[in-house]
Amino acid sequence: MSGHADQPVGPPVDATPAQPPGPVRLAGRFGAVEKLDAARHADALWDEIGRHPVLWTYMFHGPFADAAEFSGWLADREQLADPYSYAILDASGRPLGLAALMSIRPEMRVIEIGHIVLGPALQRSRLATEAQYLFARHVFDTLGYRRYEWKCDALNAASRRAAARLGFSFEGVFRSHMIVKGRSRDTAWFAMIDADWPARRRAFERWLDPGNFDAAGRQTARLGQSG
């Protein structure tokens, strides 16, 4: 599109700012996502994620010396507006993991999902995928963002695989992007945009449909195949 003095510019977009994240509860078939509440969630989260040092290798924080240190960290996280932290709960209401909406820029309608820590019981589960669907649906359909980012240590192969499986597009690596725990970090960038979302939403919903699983709970079609 031509702009002033015949210079190219991008297409016009709705410049209404998106909404910031809030204390919502996002309910699904297999569990729910709700705002982190350290007083209620700390004990279970210590058992599920806090006591597993391997889960914290690529995180900015952790591992933690004991439950008290972990609980104090959670209490601090609860107070932050960015990152805005949520617990991922199973159908009984037990928290099994954490995630956050972060790098929040409502005026640009850009937000990131990050600080994801999934306990062993949550990893590779239907709830883990459903939680990502609930976050994405909330970000695009309710809060009004147009760009949804996923960033991770470029050496974190599991996170990179997860981003691709969930429908985020790889956009490149920022070299020497951060210093984390005294080590250099290259950061891999992924994103999903509002134009991608209708197809991604259909793929999530087809994968999550009970008919996609046999009597033993095994998937018939993979998420990447179901769209």
Side-chain angles (χ1 to χ4, degrees), residues 7 10-11 26 33 50 80 89 94 99 114-115 145 152 155 176 180 192 198 206 209 221-222:
Q7 293 173 303
L26 308 175
V33 168
L80 299 176
L89 317 177
R94 180 176 176 82
H115 294 186
Y145 287 88
C152 63
L155 297 176
S176 299
V180 179
M192 188 186 301
R206 289 169 182 156
D209 188 281
R222 296 177 181 176

Side-chain angles (χ1 to χ4, degrees), residues 35 75-85:
K35 184 182 186 303
D76 290 341
R77 300 282 294 183
E78 181 186 348
Q79 303 304 313
L80 299 176
D82 187 358
Y84 198 100
S85 297

